[in-house]
Amino acid sequence: MAREGTYEQTLCFGGPAHVISASDTDRYGTYQLTGGTQSATKAFDSMSLECIGTFEIRSGVYRHKGYCLFQDSSGDKFHATDTAAPQAYTAELLGGTGKFTGIIGSATIVRLGVMTPVRQGTLQGCRRITGSYKLP
């Protein structure tokens, strides 16, 4: 794995969500998701992921803060945080183990369509991540 570079990943996920509807325009919630990735960059391909986070919709404006752990088939991991605000949907790489030890970086995230939940109280979706990383 190169000491620095760029990557693109498509990740898809699903899992339970808990939502509190405070009014017609305000909702608050938490989620716990699992999923997987595809990438042309080998080190970021076929990873499993687990994410947790919170979200809010206030006056129709969506925001969230989440944390994800990505793991490859050899057990090496990296962790990241993602933030969605009206201006941007971004991620920050925070560190890792094995070949990802000391990884840092940033990425932009784009939602890929809207999926109707398979059952009430769940979330499903796919995202496209485009970023860069550095290793020590």
Side-chain angles (χ1 to χ4, degrees):
M1 183 171 172
R3 289 288 165 220
E4 65 180 85
T6 60
Y7 70 99
E8 288 189 15
Q9 273 181 315
T10 298
L11 66 87
C12 292
F13 57 82
H18 180 80
V19 179
I20 298 170
S21 292
S23 72
D24 289 343
T25 60
D26 298 339
R27 291 178 184 74
Y28 308 97
T30 61
Y31 59 85
Q32 182 176 349
L33 307 170
T34 58
T37 69
Q38 291 184 325
S39 178
T41 307
K42 185 177 178 182
F44 293 87
D45 187 38
S46 299
M47 301 187 87
S48 60
L49 64 104
E50 180 178 18
C51 302
I52 60 170
T54 63
F55 62 89
E56 67 176 41
I57 302 170
R58 286 192 295 159
S59 300
V61 177
Y62 178 81
R63 297 176 192 272
H64 91 249
K65 179 74 171 180
Y67 299 90
C68 294
L69 179 66
F70 294 77
Q71 181 174 310
D72 68 13
S73 61
S74 66
D76 295 341
K77 303 173 186 176
F78 70 86
H79 52 106
T81 183
D82 65 309
T83 304
Q87 300 80 15
Y89 189 3
T90 60
E92 179 183 358
L93 305 180
L94 302 172
T97 65
K99 70 175 147 286
F100 299 111
T101 298
I103 196 168
I104 59 170
S106 61
T108 58
I109 303 170
V110 176
R111 289 179 182 88
L112 299 177
V114 176
M115 290 185 182
T116 301
V118 293
R119 68 175 175 258
Q120 189 172 357
T122 65
L123 296 174
Q124 288 80 40
C126 293
R127 306 289 186 259
R128 184 73 172 161
I129 301 172
T130 303
S132 61
Y133 69 90
K134 289 185 182 181
L135 291 162

